Amino acid sequence: MTEQPPKGEYRIEDLAHLSGATVRTIRAYQDRGLLPRPERRGRANVYGDTHLTRLRQIADLLDRGYSLASVKELLDAWDAGLGLGGVLGLVAEINGPWTDEEASRVSRRDLDAAFGGSSDEEAIAEAVELGVLQRIPGEDGTFLVPSPQELAVAAELHSAGVPLLAITGQLREVRAEVEHIASRFLDFTTEHVFQPFLDHPPTEAGAAEAAALVRRLRPLAQQTIDAELARAMRTLATGYLRHHLSEALPAEESGSVEARAQASAGVAGAGPAAAPGTAPGPAMAAETVLLPAEAVQAVRALVGAEHTAAFIAAAVHREVQARTMDALASDASGTAPGDDAAVPTRSTEPAPPERHPASAPGPTRPRRTQS
């Protein structure tokens, strides 16, 4: 009859059987400091319930997704007298997901279709290296997509004409900048929020409080970046687009025209250009006036781009003078302009040709009087 070991005392083979670990794994845990050394009795090593409990804790933590290094840190905290519950809660908050986005799968066929229907092995390799795509062992035609949103952005940029390698290159640059910002945010919160918890091993209550702080502060980094990116894009993109569009298109050819030739003709900042034959007046503040594109194009075709602003200013000046003279004549005759009931006495000469608003101003010819 085989002698049974006392209750709570195990040979390594018995411990392996009860814990579900192999003998080789138990010895590896001992070498890494995860498992206490057994008691030596003569030529035999004797393990106890403490070893069995520890092996079950290790298995549970590994099943939760912790690495062996993280498991060792947790168990060291436990050995230092901390409650494992509070420590596990803190580690779970730190290691937890920082986004609500869920990973998805995409077939190679759907991936090629999303990017124009062609296959680009170099771009695929770049995406895998960056982690945008992950190969699935045993499934050559399928990729895991950790961030479907990031992949959708890349597809949208490509459909707008951006080459795939340019997209991955831009992602590398953006990622480096974002990692720098994340590091700055972590340094900031560590200094001002978490330093008291790092000066000494936290108690059970301290670990729970730190976990609650991580949970509260987790969305702040994302919210800060979203707000600042929106502000920067609003500030920079408007001026950037205006600058490049003004270089690409003449102002007269955009929908509504700002009198672009004002600067070259002296209109901007110095008041309207003087009409030919008139004395210069005091400088007036410049004012932007929106004109129909068709009218500006017609004037430019008539007198040339370099004279467009001066021509428009002269035409306006002439029209204002004509209306002023009509008003003065009406006041002298006692009739209001446009009053059809009273017709002022006029010369019997034929009326001069009607002015066309797009015609160039010319010298005024004196009328001949009949003798």
Side-chain angles (χ1 to χ4, degrees):
M1 183 175 179
T2 304
E3 182 180 356
Q4 296 294 327
K7 186 177 181 180
E9 295 184 356
Y10 314 102
R11 295 173 301 177
I12 191 170
E13 293 81 8
D14 299 326
L15 183 64
H17 174 73
L18 292 172
S19 66
T22 64
V23 171
R24 183 177 179 179
T25 299
I26 293 174
R27 288 176 176 157
Y29 287 167
Q30 289 177 184
D31 294 338
R32 301 189 62 164
L34 291 165
L35 197 66
R37 292 288 177 181
E39 180 183 351
R40 186 74 176 179
R41 291 185 186 174
R43 300 177 61 183
N45 291 326
V46 178
Y47 297 85
D49 288 332
T50 301
H51 296 89
L52 180 59
T53 300
R54 176 58 57 88
L55 286 172
R56 288 172 176 170
Q57 288 175 341
I58 294 172
D60 179 63
L61 292 172
L62 291 175
D63 288 343
R64 295 189 185 193
Y66 296 106
S67 65
L68 283 177
S70 298
V71 169
K72 187 176 187 311
E73 292 178 2
L74 291 173
L75 294 177
D76 287 345
W78 174 269
D79 292 338
L82 302 180
L84 193 57
V87 176
L88 284 177
L90 175 58
V91 174
E93 287 296 337
I94 295 174
N95 291 340
W98 288 74
T99 177
D100 295 333
E101 194 174 15
E102 296 183 359
S104 65
R105 293 183 171 216
V106 62
S107 67
R108 181 58 184 269
R109 177 182 300 177
D110 291 342
L111 185 65
D112 291 343
F115 288 89
S118 60
S119 180
D120 190 327
E121 294 298 332
E122 185 177 2
I124 291 290
E126 283 277 300
V128 170
E129 183 179 350
L130 288 167
V132 177
L133 299 175
Q134 294 180 1
R135 300 188 187 277
I136 301 176
E139 298 184 35
D140 294 338
T142 305
F143 293 95
L144 182 68
V145 184
S147 173
Q149 180 177 343
E150 191 171 49
L151 186 64
V153 169
E156 191 68 24
L157 288 172
H158 184 262
S159 68
V162 183
L164 287 175
L165 293 182
I167 296 173
T168 55
Q170 179 70 7
L171 177 58
R172 288 182 186 276
E173 295 182 11
V174 169
R175 181 169 293 180
E177 296 293 337
V178 171
E179 287 177 355
H180 174 70
I181 294 172
S183 177
R184 291 283 301 275
F185 190 83
L186 289 174
D187 290 342
F188 171 79
T189 53
T190 297
E191 177 183 358
H192 296 284
V193 179
F194 295 107
Q195 192 60 51
F197 300 99
L198 303 177
D199 292 336
H200 53 79
T203 62
E204 177 79 8
E209 183 181 355
L213 282 172
V214 172
R215 188 162 49 251
R216 284 174 51 196
L217 297 179
R218 185 191 300 275
L220 296 187
Q222 183 71 44
Q223 292 170 4
T224 301
I225 296 303
D226 286 347
E228 282 301 305
L229 180 61
R231 181 200 62 79
M233 291 298 293
R234 183 173 60 251
T235 301
L236 299 178
T238 302
Y240 185 86
L241 291 176
R242 282 179 179 171
H243 171 70
H244 285 274
L245 287 176
S246 66
E247 291 182 347
L249 292 174
E252 296 88 345
E253 294 181 1
S254 57
S256 293
V257 179
E258 296 179 328
R260 176 172 167 254
Q262 287 177 347
S264 62
V267 178
T278 61
M284 301 176 63
E287 181 178 352
T288 299
V289 179
L290 300 181
L291 302 175
E294 296 81 0
V296 178
Q297 289 172 357
V299 173
R300 187 176 58 188
L302 181 65
V303 300
E306 66 274 15
H307 301 303
T308 299
F311 183 93
I312 293 174
V316 170
H317 183 77
R318 182 176 179 180
E319 181 66 22
V320 170
Q321 282 188 329
R323 294 196 179 204
T324 301
M325 294 177 66
D326 288 345
L328 291 173
S330 298
D331 290 342
S333 63
T335 60
D339 190 352
D340 295 333
V343 180
T345 303
R346 294 184 180 271
S347 170
T348 58
E349 289 185 30
E354 183 181 357
R355 297 187 188 96
H356 193 282
S359 62
T364 304
R365 295 182 179 178
R367 291 185 179 180
R368 293 181 179 180
T369 58
Q370 294 180 352
S371 57

